[in-house]
């Protein structure tokens, strides 16, 4: 990134230099008595322009390599061949023996065109790789996970909109499955081992909620995907199902709170009371009087 910024600064310097030249030249034209700038611009700026064109191409190569470097961080089965192709492309550039900054080296232009072709071929291969994954049967969560990884590859305009549309249709089925599960078990939800009844029921409802809520959070980052009529119906179904699950949790939690209040008032009642007509048995009175002696003997 630092190298790229330095290349851009050099190009900017040339632009500022030429702007100052033309500003001075035009100002002199206003005063004919002054000696005019009759220098050849090509003679003054020709080499600098050629050098800057070389810098722009080098910067283009650096940006492309930096953007595609994210491929090396993606862990997806089958992407290894694409990563190797990228690494080979970078290694080829680094192995050049001539000075890349020497704008007189004509072989650079050939190498640059070959590099651009390699980048385009790599992008095409990557798009085919993405398409092949979405021809498989994937769960909604897995599909969104893959799309998130592909989105992180900078500088590559992968066509992913149709993939989000496909996942959205899969998500519609997930909503229907969630609805059926809720209808079947809402009166007696399966409770995980070692969980109290109420906590177990709330945990069950939260699991269903996460199952539909996490994908929707991803879809909402892409408003274009949710603009269609079918997408709007899916969003409405999600809102209904989410409301039902939240209400389920609130009702059970509220009932639990009420039960706790009743239990708390019961716990404040005395467990043992002295009957007004009951006397302490003689044996108990003797035992009470010998309490300290008995404890001392036990401790020894």
């Amino acid at each position: 990134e630092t190298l790229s910024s330095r290349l851009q600064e050099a190009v900017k310097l040339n632009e500022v230099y030429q702007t100052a030249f033309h500003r001075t030249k035009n100002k002199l034209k206003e005063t004919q008595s002054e000696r005019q700038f009759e220098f050849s611009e090509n003679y003054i700026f020709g080499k600098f322009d050629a050098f800057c064109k070389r810098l722009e191409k080098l910067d283009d190569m650096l940006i492309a390599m930096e953007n595609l470097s994210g491929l090396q961080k993606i862990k997806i089965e089958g992407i290894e061949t694409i990563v190797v192709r990228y690494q080979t492309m970078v290694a080829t550039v680094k192995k050049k023996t001539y000075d890349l900054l020497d704008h007189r080296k004509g072989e650079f232009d050939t190498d640059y065109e070959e590099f651009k072709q390699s980048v385009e071929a790599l992008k095409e291969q990557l798009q085919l790789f993405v398409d092949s994954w979405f021809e498989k049967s994937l769960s909604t969560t897995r599909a969104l996970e893959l799309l998130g990884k592909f989105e992180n590859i900078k500088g590559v305009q992968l066509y992913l909109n149709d993939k989000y549309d496909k996942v959205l249709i899969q998500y519609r089925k997930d909503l229907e499955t969630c609805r059926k599960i809720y209808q079947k078990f809402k009166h007696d939800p399966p409770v995980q081992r070692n969980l109290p009844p109420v906590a177990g029921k709330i945990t069950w409802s939260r699991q269903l909620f996460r199952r539909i809520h996490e994908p929707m959070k991803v879809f909402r980052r892409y408003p274009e995907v949710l603009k269609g009529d079918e997408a709007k119906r899916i969003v409405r179904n999600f809102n209904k199902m989410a409301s039902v699950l939240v209400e389920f949790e609130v009702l059970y939690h509220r009932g639990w709170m009420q039960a706790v209040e009743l239990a708390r008032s019961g716990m404040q009642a005395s467990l043992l009371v002295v009957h007004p007509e009951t006397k302490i048995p003689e044996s108990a009175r003797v035992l009470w009087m010998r309490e300290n002696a008995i404890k001392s003997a036990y401790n020894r």
Side-chain angles (χ1 to χ4, degrees):
E1 185 176 345
T2 302
L3 178 57
S4 179
S5 62
R6 289 181 178 178
L7 295 178
Q8 293 171 13
E9 287 173 1
V11 174
K12 183 66 176 179
L13 175 62
N14 184 32
E15 294 174 356
V16 173
Y17 188 15
Q18 294 196 33
T19 300
F21 174 86
H22 288 105
R23 183 171 60 248
T24 303
K25 183 177 181 179
N26 293 332
K27 188 175 182 180
L28 287 174
K29 287 182 179 180
E30 297 174 0
T31 308
Q32 294 296 327
S33 59
E34 294 287 342
R35 184 176 180 180
Q36 302 296 308
F37 270 9
E38 297 177 351
F39 312 110
S40 169
E41 292 187 27
N42 184 57
Y43 182 80
I44 299 174
F45 301 113
K47 292 182 179 180
F48 204 171
D49 285 341
F51 179 67
C52 286
K53 288 180 180 179
R54 173 63 56 86
L55 295 183
E56 289 172 348
K57 290 181 178 180
L58 283 172
D59 189 39
D60 183 39
M61 294 173 69
L62 288 173
I63 292 174
M65 289 188 288
E66 177 63 25
N67 288 339
L68 292 171
S69 64
L71 287 169
Q72 301 174 103
K73 300 178 182 178
I74 296 179
K75 305 299 180 184
I76 303 176
E77 180 184 354
I79 203 172
E80 296 82 9
T81 55
I82 299 178
V83 173
V84 170
R85 186 171 185 173
Y86 163 76
Q87 292 172 341
T88 302
M89 182 179 68
V90 174
T92 301
V93 174
K94 291 181 177 180
K95 288 179 181 178
K96 298 301 178 184
T97 56
Y98 60 86
D99 184 1
L100 297 177
L101 291 174
D102 188 349
H103 62 278
R104 295 168 298 182
K105 299 292 184 181
E107 58 263 48
F108 172 83
D109 293 324
T110 301
D111 292 337
Y112 174 73
E113 291 302 322
E114 290 178 354
F115 174 83
K116 295 291 289 182
Q117 292 173 7
S118 298
V119 170
E120 290 304 315
L122 184 65
K123 291 180 179 179
E124 291 177 5
Q125 184 180 1
L126 184 58
Q127 182 67 62
L128 291 173
F129 176 74
V130 173
D131 294 342
S132 68
W133 262 101
F134 283 88
E135 290 173 358
K136 303 176 183 179
S137 178
L138 301 172
S139 67
T140 301
T141 302
R142 176 58 174 160
L144 290 175
E145 178 187 342
L146 286 173
L147 286 171
K149 290 181 178 181
F150 292 131
E151 289 278 5
N152 288 331
I153 304 175
K154 300 178 181 178
V156 182
Q157 295 181 344
L158 295 171
Y159 186 65
L160 300 177
N161 286 347
D162 64 324
K163 308 298 184 296
Y164 280 104
D165 292 336
K166 184 176 181 179
V167 178
L168 189 62
I169 299 302
Q170 175 66 35
Y171 178 68
R172 181 185 62 187
K173 298 177 182 178
D174 292 346
L175 282 174
E176 180 61 20
T177 300
C178 181
R179 186 190 67 80
K180 290 180 179 179
I181 292 174
Y182 175 79
Q183 291 296 334
K184 183 177 180 180
F185 295 106
K186 63 181 179 180
H187 297 299
D188 186 22
V191 177
Q192 295 180 17
R193 184 183 300 177
N194 299 328
L195 279 180
V198 175
K201 292 175 181 178
I202 290 177
T203 300
W204 172 76
S205 69
R206 286 185 177 182
Q207 288 174 342
L208 288 179
F209 181 79
R210 281 196 298 270
R211 181 174 175 178
I212 63 174
H213 183 245
E214 293 302 320
M216 182 54 69
K217 287 198 300 184
V218 177
F219 288 129
R220 282 175 172 165
R221 294 203 297 264
Y222 302 92
E224 292 294 327
V225 177
L226 300 177
K227 281 187 175 180
D229 293 337
E230 179 62 23
K232 291 178 180 178
R233 280 193 291 271
I234 292 173
V235 172
R236 285 196 296 269
N237 290 338
F238 162 78
N239 291 335
K240 291 178 182 178
M241 193 68 243
S243 298
V244 168
L245 291 171
V246 171
E247 184 179 359
F248 178 92
E249 177 178 340
V250 169
L251 288 174
Y252 270 96
H253 183 263
R254 188 178 297 159
W256 178 81
M257 291 293 293
Q258 293 172 353
V260 168
E261 289 300 322
L262 291 175
R264 181 181 298 174
S265 61
M267 292 176 68
Q268 293 174 351
S270 299
L271 296 179
L272 299 174
V273 296
V274 178
H275 195 278
E277 299 178 359
T278 301
K279 296 182 179 180
I280 300 176
E282 182 63 22
S283 58
R285 188 177 65 81
V286 172
L287 187 63
W288 172 70
M289 294 178 65
R290 297 184 60 193
E291 177 183 5
N292 292 333
I294 294 172
K295 286 183 177 180
S296 298
Y298 177 80
N299 291 332
R300 288 201 300 271

